[in-house]
Amino acid sequence: MNPMVIPVIIAVVIVQVLLSQKANRYWVFLLPALSFVASILLCIVFALFGSVTWQCTMITTDGKEYVFETEAEAEAFRQTLDEDDIVSETVIQPAREGSDMQSYVIYILRLFFSTNVVTIILLLIYWRQRKHLEKGRQHI
């Protein structure tokens, strides 16, 4: 884990607590809104540019790894070698049809919900701080 992650998390929580204590209720939604928009953008980027292209990776007996973007390139390379020269071959197919599409959509939904955990935590901090402030106002 990057050593900067913990201080950033602590800073975000402190900022959210401070914003939640302000009288203006709209500023408190700044961090959750940014988190939500970032998760949507991440899902869109994955949906557009994720594993939707064909790719072939071959490892030969000499330990070299070759990556091909088209089937024609892979086939042309395969023709230059003996069958025994290829140790491993991995082909990534586009996930755009049939049951693959279903698993692709499920993956994007899982990505969306997992990236919104931060949004939920920030909203829970807001809710807890507001509840605490309202209790304090009732006792006055």
Side-chain angles (χ1 to χ4, degrees), residues 1-11:
M1 182 187 293
N2 190 333
M4 289 301 296
V5 171
I6 300 296
V8 168
I9 291 172
I10 292 171

Side-chain angles (χ1 to χ4, degrees), residues 2 8-9 14 20 22 25-26 35-36 64 72 74-75 77 79 83 97 109 124 132 139:
N2 190 333
V8 168
I9 291 172
I14 290 172
S20 297
K22 299 289 182 192
R25 289 185 171 203
Y26 299 108
S35 173
F36 183 71
K64 292 183 180 176
E75 190 58 37
F77 181 75
Q79 298 297 327
E83 256 186 61
E97 53 190 87
L109 287 174
L124 287 173
H132 182 70
H139 292 293

Side-chain angles (χ1 to χ4, degrees), residues 86-121:
I86 299 173
V87 175
S88 166
E89 183 175 350
T90 306
V91 177
I92 299 173
Q93 297 288 342
R96 291 277 187 195
E97 53 190 87
S99 64
D100 286 340
M101 185 62 170
Q102 181 182 3
S103 63
Y104 191 70
V105 169
I106 289 171
Y107 184 82
I108 291 175
L109 287 174
R110 286 179 53 206
L111 178 67
F112 176 75
F113 288 118
S114 64
T115 54
N116 273 305
V117 168
V118 174
T119 306
I120 292 168
I121 291 171

Side-chain angles (χ1 to χ4, degrees), residues 20 122-132:
S20 297
L122 292 172
L123 289 173
L124 287 173
I125 291 171
Y126 162 73
W127 176 73
R128 175 71 178 120
Q129 286 298 112
R130 281 291 165 184
K131 198 173 184 182
H132 182 70

